[in-house]
Amino acid sequence: MTLLEIKNLHLQFQSDEGLALVLDGINFDIKKGETLGLVGESGCGKSVTGLSVLRLIPTPPGEITEGEIIFEGENLLEKSAKEMQNIRGGRIAMIFQDPMVSLNPVYTIGDQIAEAIDLHQPKGITSTWDGVVEALDSVQIADPESRAHNYPHQFSGGMRQRGMIAMMLSCRPSLLIADEPTTALDVTVQAQVLQVIADLQKELGMAVILITHNLGVVAESCDRVAVMYAGTIAEIADVEKLFENPKHPYTRGLLGAIPRADRDMNDLAIIEGSVPNHVNPPKGCRFHPRCKEAMDICRIEKPTDVDLGEDHIVACHLYG
Amino acid sequence: MLRYITKRLIFSIPIVLGVTLIAFLILYLTPGDPVTNLLGSRATPEARAELSEKLGLDQPVLVQYGRWLGNVLHGDLGTSILTKQPVSEAIGSRLSYTLKLTLTAFLSSVLIGIPVGIFAAAKQNTAADHISMGIAMFFYSMPDFWFGLMLILVFSLTLQWLPVSGAYGPKYLILPALALGLPKIGSIARLMRAETLEVMREEYSLTARAKGISEWLIMFKHVLRNAAIPVMVMLFLALPWLISGAVVIETIFAWPGMGQLMYQAILRKDFPVIQALLLIIAILTVLFNLLGDVVAGLLDPRIRVK
């Protein structure tokens, strides 16, 4: 059953250089309880896609000009500010990249969790304090009763990210948008944080959009993957299918660029060129200047989504 | 916390002593002396020597300082060379006037400056923001004595609404307090706006928004609590500055406070009075610095001392 469906989403930003088309008609959906990986290079539009779902894009300079975001059957773009406040943190939660700066330094962890609980009043919690302790316990913070009285600076990085997860999941949302949740953490605690998310996902039956540029994380935690390139979605497929049989030249390039311990570093494939700027993107397919298989049509016409069957979708003229 | 405060107080003793010693030396080095002021320039050398000896001015400067310090430690601030009035008495009768003036200026500049700064931040880059910050910049840039003269010109001489000078009732307080407070309104409003904007851009403000908190609550609970920390510290640093700033304003408005006393004492080289006033200002500065740090510690758990 589809939980969230994004249809033809266009997002633009007013910048000093001109109008930047940051999302150029993206489509994807996510089913209940599923984990969707959103991967791509820096600046490809992964994070703004997450922020758009919660309508957290600062306007101005950002503006969603076209498209629909259907969550549990309702278009979020038509919601009032008040309705969005109920959805944020209540039905859709989001966690960010750097836990060192994403918690308010002057309130205790417990206070910040309690604030979310008081706001959304999730079912099945006897009191706010019980909810706080339970939330900290669920992210494996030892001695949650006394840790709730700590301030963020008394937590380590990994603990802060778990505290953040506890806060955001205390109200049992049906969707979590995790924006590079492990990028700023030590490798040793990355796995732990991902495990905490996976455990809670199972327990709450929640869907997760995992925004990352780490393909290893994707392979390990995701059911499906959407590969983004310069504000467009290049390819969406089940994770095994994508890694075994990538169709889009960009996806192939990305996978070829993963260093492997059993191969010579000199064989590492690179994608020539660099990410285009959003103010003057290439005409037609935005990837064509860097694509080894580019054809004449790629320089003129924007590729449409081609369904290769079994939920494998690719936006490339090679398959059109 | 108590240990921290005690430690800070002990460390502040050499600071206060240093300030008084430097002040003493500067007074000694500047031209003019109280003997000439008292006896006139045509006094006989014998009369001068006699008075110098009586006042202790014939001693080496460090001996004079040591003697003064010894007296202060015994609670004796000395006697005014000019009026023969005990210094503590002279200051005591003027203290309440200065406090009345500076606290009125301070409180009104806080009560106006902080809301204006928050308002401008909330309305960033709108006409309301630009206009209020333009005015604040103007207030901040002009010296207080200029405001004093302009206020007298407009409200006393032209409109005749308020008295020019003196201290005979609440009406007399308005203009000097305004002259002293206007530049502070400017600096407080600008700092408050800058700090508020900075915190609004912090990621934890985005977290609060992602949690579903209303914009109003984000501003008043999450943003302002953080933005207030540096502003509070600045306010405590500004308080002793206001008291010394009152020297010029009290002179312009003939306000019988410590500032006016200081002005007269400097003109006439009345060493004991100047020294005592500088001592009080130094102690106030150190105390308010400490108080500012304590308040910052209360507001910000990261710098709270265990």
Side-chain angles (χ1 to χ4, degrees):
Chain A
M1 201 188 136
T2 305
L3 179 71
L4 175 80
E5 192 178 2
I6 292 182
K7 290 184 189 168
N8 196 28
L9 190 66
H10 285 72
L11 170 71
Q12 61 187 32
F13 270 88
Q14 200 65 250
S15 74
D16 292 338
E17 290 121 70
L19 207 58
L21 202 54
V22 174
L23 292 179
D24 187 19
I26 64 165
N27 296 291
F28 69 86
D29 58 42
I30 179 164
K31 295 174 193 67
K32 268 193 175 153
E34 178 184 53
T35 304
L36 175 77
L38 211 51
V39 296
E41 291 164 84
S42 303
C44 71
K46 307 178 298 252
S47 294
V48 290
T49 302
L51 291 170
S52 296
V53 172
L54 279 177
R55 299 235 325 255
L56 287 173
I57 297 288
T59 312
E63 196 192 350
I64 293 174
T65 49
E66 215 182 314
E68 286 172 83
I69 299 174
I70 314 282
F71 175 70
E72 293 179 341
E74 298 163 295
N75 187 354
L76 296 183
L77 296 180
E78 288 164 2
K79 294 281 178 196
S80 69
K82 186 92 197 78
E83 287 171 315
M84 276 317 292
Q85 281 167 21
N86 289 328
I87 291 170
R88 289 181 198 133
R91 290 157 66 194
I92 306 177
M94 184 157 185
I95 56 177
F96 302 100
Q97 179 168 346
D98 190 352
M100 305 313 269
V101 295
S102 51
L103 288 162
N104 193 324
V106 301
Y107 293 107
T108 62
I109 302 280
D111 280 346
Q112 296 187 55
I113 298 175
E115 193 182 26
I117 293 174
D118 284 339
L119 200 64
H120 299 292
Q121 304 280 345
K123 290 186 192 90
I125 284 175
T126 43
S127 72
T128 304
W129 176 245
D130 286 344
V132 170
V133 173
E134 207 177 290
L136 285 174
D137 192 44
S138 72
V139 294
Q140 292 161 27
I141 285 187
D143 195 11
E145 299 246 1
S146 67
R147 281 302 196 166
H149 296 293
N150 281 173
Y151 288 94
H153 71 275
Q154 294 164 304
F155 272 34
S156 69
M159 281 171 79
R160 283 193 212 187
Q161 192 62 298
R162 282 184 283 144
M164 182 81 184
I165 294 168
M167 175 171 84
M168 284 303 186
L169 300 191
S170 62
C171 300
R172 295 148 201 250
S174 46
L175 174 64
L176 170 68
I177 301 168
D179 186 1
E180 309 244 13
T182 58
T183 307
L185 300 177
D186 280 349
V187 183
T188 45
V189 291
Q190 284 186 1
Q192 187 189 21
V193 166
L194 288 172
Q195 192 56 49
V196 161
I197 294 177
D199 290 348
L200 281 165
Q201 177 179 20
K202 209 174 285 171
E203 192 190 320
L204 303 175
M206 151 187 95
V208 175
I209 297 179
L210 186 63
I211 299 171
T212 180
H213 57 248
N214 186 335
L215 291 166
V217 168
V218 169
E220 226 158 275
S221 0
C222 297
D223 302 313
R224 276 198 307 146
V225 197
V227 179
M228 288 192 74
Y229 181 78
T232 59
I233 290 193
E235 185 167 7
I236 305 179
D238 287 347
V239 70
E240 293 89 9
K241 231 178 282 170
L242 190 99
F243 276 87
E244 273 163 31
N245 191 12
K247 294 292 186 192
H248 198 286
Y250 178 63
T251 316
R252 285 188 219 147
L254 267 190
L255 295 174
I258 304 175
R260 285 176 54 165
D262 57 348
R263 288 204 196 140
D264 190 348
M265 278 295 277
N266 293 327
D267 293 342
L268 205 60
I270 51 168
I271 305 175
E272 300 282 346
S274 57
V275 184
N277 95 19
H278 288 294
V279 178
N280 272 315
K283 282 212 169 51
C285 174
R286 285 189 174 194
F287 185 60
H288 83 254
R290 303 172 73 185
C291 183
K292 284 177 186 145
E293 296 165 70
M295 306 174 290
D296 287 341
I297 189 171
C298 303
R299 297 183 184 93
I300 305 157
E301 210 173 294
K302 192 186 162 198
T304 49
D305 291 346
V306 181
D307 194 342
L308 304 173
E310 295 177 61
D311 278 343
H312 195 152
I313 292 163
V314 61
C316 181
H317 288 301
L318 287 175
Y319 309 94
Chain B
M1 195 65 165
L2 211 65
R3 249 189 67 200
Y4 169 72
I5 295 174
T6 322
K7 210 168 94 184
R8 281 284 303 267
L9 283 175
I10 291 168
F11 277 127
S12 62
I13 292 171
I15 297 173
V16 172
L17 284 181
V19 170
T20 58
L21 177 63
I22 291 168
F24 211 92
L25 293 178
I26 289 174
L27 282 175
Y28 183 79
L29 290 173
T30 47
D33 70 306
V35 175
T36 313
N37 280 332
L38 278 175
L39 297 178
S41 51
R42 278 180 288 176
T44 59
E46 291 76 25
R48 294 179 60 96
E50 196 189 338
L51 187 61
S52 278
E53 201 188 325
K54 206 176 126 199
L55 295 174
L57 297 173
D58 55 340
Q59 303 288 325
V61 64
L62 285 178
V63 175
Q64 287 184 44
Y65 177 72
R67 198 181 280 171
W68 174 80
L69 192 62
N71 288 338
V72 168
L73 291 177
H74 288 98
D76 178 13
L77 289 173
T79 314
S80 163
I81 295 176
L82 290 165
T83 61
K84 309 281 183 282
Q85 194 187 14
V87 173
S88 49
E89 217 171 85
I91 292 175
S93 67
R94 286 161 174 269
L95 187 65
S96 70
Y97 281 100
T98 292
L99 285 181
K100 214 186 287 175
L101 174 62
T102 48
L103 285 181
T104 309
F106 179 71
L107 288 180
S108 46
S109 57
V110 168
L111 290 178
I112 298 169
I114 288 193
V116 167
I118 297 170
F119 170 79
K123 303 264 173 216
Q124 193 199 359
N125 292 334
T126 63
D129 175 27
H130 294 314
I131 292 169
S132 55
M133 281 307 109
I135 296 172
M137 189 67 196
F138 174 71
F139 281 176
Y140 177 57
S141 311
M142 301 311 285
D144 48 13
F145 67 83
W146 184 84
F147 280 115
L149 298 175
M150 286 301 126
L151 290 170
I152 290 175
L153 191 66
V154 175
F155 293 101
S156 305
L157 300 181
T158 310
L159 297 170
Q160 307 214 326
W161 288 352
L162 294 163
V164 175
S165 64
Y168 308 103
K171 253 169 77 175
Y172 289 83
L173 182 60
I174 298 174
L175 289 188
L178 262 181
L180 200 56
L182 284 179
K184 279 282 138 217
I185 293 181
S187 58
I188 292 172
R190 291 187 66 83
L191 182 70
M192 190 70 212
R193 175 182 180 272
E195 293 297 333
T196 307
L197 284 179
E198 195 172 314
V199 177
M200 281 164 69
R201 278 191 288 265
E202 290 282 349
E203 195 148 304
Y204 53 80
S205 299
L206 180 64
T207 303
R209 213 159 279 135
K211 228 157 86 172
I213 300 171
S214 66
E215 290 300 317
W216 191 88
L217 208 60
I218 289 174
M219 187 58 135
F220 283 90
K221 189 176 168 190
H222 289 265
V223 173
L224 292 186
R225 173 74 192 275
N226 282 286
I229 297 166
V231 177
M232 287 302 275
V233 173
M234 182 270 227
L235 291 181
F236 279 100
L237 293 182
L239 254 175
W241 186 88
L242 264 180
I243 289 174
S244 45
V247 171
V248 177
I249 294 301
E250 287 185 1
T251 308
I252 291 176
F253 287 93
W255 184 262
M258 295 197 315
Q260 201 194 28
L261 181 67
M262 173 84 117
Y263 176 74
Q264 288 162 359
I266 291 174
L267 276 187
R268 296 177 197 167
K269 290 271 168 173
D270 196 344
F271 287 160
V273 175
I274 302 172
Q275 276 299 111
L277 286 169
L278 286 176
L279 177 69
I280 291 174
I281 290 173
I283 291 174
L284 282 177
T285 306
V286 167
L287 277 184
F288 278 111
N289 264 323
L290 174 60
L291 210 59
D293 285 350
V294 169
V295 169
L298 291 178
L299 286 173
D300 189 344
R302 284 167 298 181
I303 49 180
R304 202 170 290 165
V305 191
K306 284 206 185 102

